[in-house]
Amino acid sequence: MSFKWYLTWLFKPLLFVVCLLPAVLLGYDAYTDALGANPIEEISHITGDWSLRFLLITLTVSPLAILFHARWLNRFRRMLGLFCFFYVCLHLANYVVLDQYFDWPEIYKDIIKRPYISVGFAAFVLLIPLAITSVDKLVELMGKPRWLKLHQLVFVCAVLGVLHYLWVVKADILEPGIYGFILIVLMLFRVWHRRSQANVKV
Amino acid sequence: MLIKIGKKSDLKESEVTPQSLFDQRRQFIKKAAGYSVAAATLSLPFSAMAALNLNPFQKENSSLSDELTARKHVVSYNNFYEFGTDKKDPAAHAGSLKTDPWSVTVAGECAKPGVYALEDLVKPHAFEERIYRLRCVEAWSMVIPWIGFPLADLIKQMQPTSKARYVEFTTLHDPQQMPGQKRSVLDWPYIEALRMDEAMNPLSLMAVGLYGEVLPNQNGAPLRLVLPWKYGFKSIKSIVKIRFSETQPRTTWNLSGPGEYGFYANVNPEVDHPRWSQSRERRIGEFRKRKTQMFNGYAEEVAHMYRGMNLKRNF
């Protein structure tokens, strides 16, 4: 069997299961009442953490593919990106349903008045077109250059996501700082790579 | 049996204690008797715990059903950055704190400065149980049965001079015992302070226990403040120093975020934290949020101290 067969029928399903594990564990902990004194806050933290992690993991795929000359890695990128969107949706659903209990006026006020919620919500809205256009048919329909341009938005989402985290912590900025640092490294890599490509052409 | 001479400001038990709670009193005494035996066998620092003067105290607001927060939550969900910034950290890491022996330095504008062994400091005071609401600045809350004695009694014992306008409290600073202090998340040691009239208010409690037991380390053992009308961060834990001062001391969270954490930090649903709303809170153990009350429901006891003050400016 070819490498491509393994990729499609073994690695991808395996990755799918692994990516689902945090959600399964969360569900199990919720079911067994193991989320501590403030379960809604805990769900918010866990789903928020995994949203940011999957976003950064997604952005790590192409640098790895370039560095290790392993273009096949790019085949996992879409699934990882969609898992980021999945955890963002859980994060938002937890806020709307469990935390605010559909208190729409309060939610509206939060989005307008609270900068950390404003940027978090903006990141969610910007992720929607990216998730929708992840379908093969739509990539074809849009044409690859336009599709690539649209998907540059992911960097805006990542910056907003890190800000969302940074602006909610009280004093300990270590964790949002780590996410921010990784994001900067990933963006710098792309700048460096683009420059070196340009140099090759000259 | 301890005989207490009533003061005018004392609330009569019959006035403030709901019947249901009053009925539980005997049950509590039975339970507490068991606890004090345990305390003795473990040779915990408070032999005085055996002489608990139980006086269930609760200013009940009829619109609230203030059930006690489960003990397991009270001792596992804590903001005590000296042991880490996650709320599970204190329960996990506070084992390294040594509370016996413990001494408290009293300094500044008073007639009785000095270094006091904890036992000597608390010995003259009758312990009582007080059930207080605790409202965290992060918009969650609990209801906790504390054991302690009025801060006012301790202050009188130290005989502050006429120059003493503020009282400052300091938490232990020892990164070996408090691993969270190895990172400068806050400007250690943790310092909190009160205006003298706030400190003398009958609600201000020096706590040494909760749920009928000696304070667990993660809850601020062996000596902490409880100020139920202020956000939780004012209720400083593991106190090693008390200083009387003429000028307003600088306090830790106020230094960390002057625009977000004021000197007064009175619970106020009208004045939002710059980054989130303070109008509602989640009571631990409950699903829906509830409305936050002015001064956390203790307006009757404390509002007079802030009359004429702009509470939006003096947050």
Side-chain angles (χ1 to χ4, degrees), chain A residues 33 36-38 40-42 97-101 103 106 113-114 116 167-172 174, chain B residues 73 77 79 81 85 87-88 138 183 185 253 261 272-273 275-277 280 282 284 287-289:
Chain A
D33 194 18
N38 197 345
I40 299 172
E41 181 191 67
E42 187 72 4
V97 182
L98 299 182
D99 192 37
Q100 297 289 3
Y101 199 66
D103 189 340
E106 200 67 31
K113 274 178 79 177
R114 317 284 166 208
Y116 84 95
W167 286 348
V168 75
V169 296
K170 264 163 67 196
D172 190 358
L174 178 67
Chain B
H73 294 329
Y77 187 76
N79 271 327
Y81 280 17
T85 54
K87 278 187 269 295
K88 283 174 277 187
E138 297 168 358
R183 288 179 49 220
V185 181
W253 273 105
Y261 311 100
D272 283 345
H273 185 282
R275 288 183 282 155
W276 56 81
S277 165
R280 295 184 303 160
R282 173 161 290 113
I284 295 305
F287 173 50
R288 298 285 297 273
K289 288 183 180 177

Side-chain angles (χ1 to χ4, degrees), chain B residues 1 3 11 45 77 82 97 99 121 145 209 232 260 266 273 288:
Chain B
M1 188 69 198
I3 298 160
L11 294 147
Y77 187 76
E82 280 79 350
L97 176 67
T99 58
L121 200 70
E260 304 194 327
N266 292 320
H273 185 282
R288 298 285 297 273

